[in-house]
Amino acid sequence: MTTQQRASAGEEAATVLNGSGPDLNTVRYTISRARGQSSVPLHYDELTALESELRDYIAQLLPAAKNAVDKLWHGGTAWHQQVSRLDGIERQAGQGLGTGVLSAHVQVQQLAKDCQWLIDCQGQQR
């Protein structure tokens, strides 16, 4: 994917997020780009762009996931596990990339996993 294509995908993602929620196909595409970086290493600026997109998606998906978890029985193991996972996702999204390419790579990979979990959580609500 060229820099121009990445910019177009980023603009499309921003447009989708301004609606009622993220387009899950666009989110999945971003996740696959983030996960695919291990075979083709990305530069720090590309990792920064991916991190920004993933954080935006997490911000869009998190409220619905929290709402779904809030409907669970608050004393149950499932509720506790879900709340812990959501808290972890929120903390991870606030971490930032760090100073090196390796820390940026690890952060983007984790955010991609978190986005996928939120999508899976959303799918279970329906």
Side-chain angles (χ1 to χ4, degrees):
M1 177 179 279
T2 67
T3 304
Q4 185 175 7
Q5 289 170 318
R6 275 192 291 278
S8 296
E11 290 166 5
E12 177 185 335
T15 301
V16 169
L17 288 174
N18 290 331
S20 61
D23 173 60
L24 295 184
N25 288 328
T26 304
V27 178
R28 287 184 185 104
Y29 174 71
T30 303
I31 291 169
S32 74
R33 284 177 31 229
R35 289 184 173 164
Q37 69 177 301
S38 58
S39 60
V40 180
L42 298 177
H43 298 286
Y44 194 83
D45 60 334
E46 295 168 314
L47 291 167
T48 301
L50 271 174
E51 188 235 6
S52 178
E53 287 179 53
L54 291 167
R55 286 179 51 180
D56 286 345
Y57 292 135
I58 287 171
Q60 290 287 317
L61 294 168
L62 207 52
K66 284 183 175 184
N67 188 35
V69 169
D70 198 39
K71 293 177 183 175
L72 297 174
W73 179 61
H74 286 218
T77 303
W79 174 80
H80 180 69
Q81 290 173 340
Q82 300 276 331
V83 166
S84 295
R85 181 74 165 118
L86 291 172
D87 288 346
I89 289 171
E90 213 164 16
R91 275 192 309 278
Q92 189 70 39
Q95 288 290 318
L97 288 177
T99 57
V101 174
L102 178 59
S103 66
H105 174 79
V106 170
Q107 174 69 355
V108 167
Q109 290 294 311
Q110 186 59 51
L111 291 176
K113 288 177 188 177
D114 291 343
C115 265
Q116 186 61 59
W117 189 86
L118 288 168
I119 289 171
D120 294 345
C121 184
Q122 184 173 351
Q124 293 171 2
Q125 295 173 32
R126 293 178 183 177

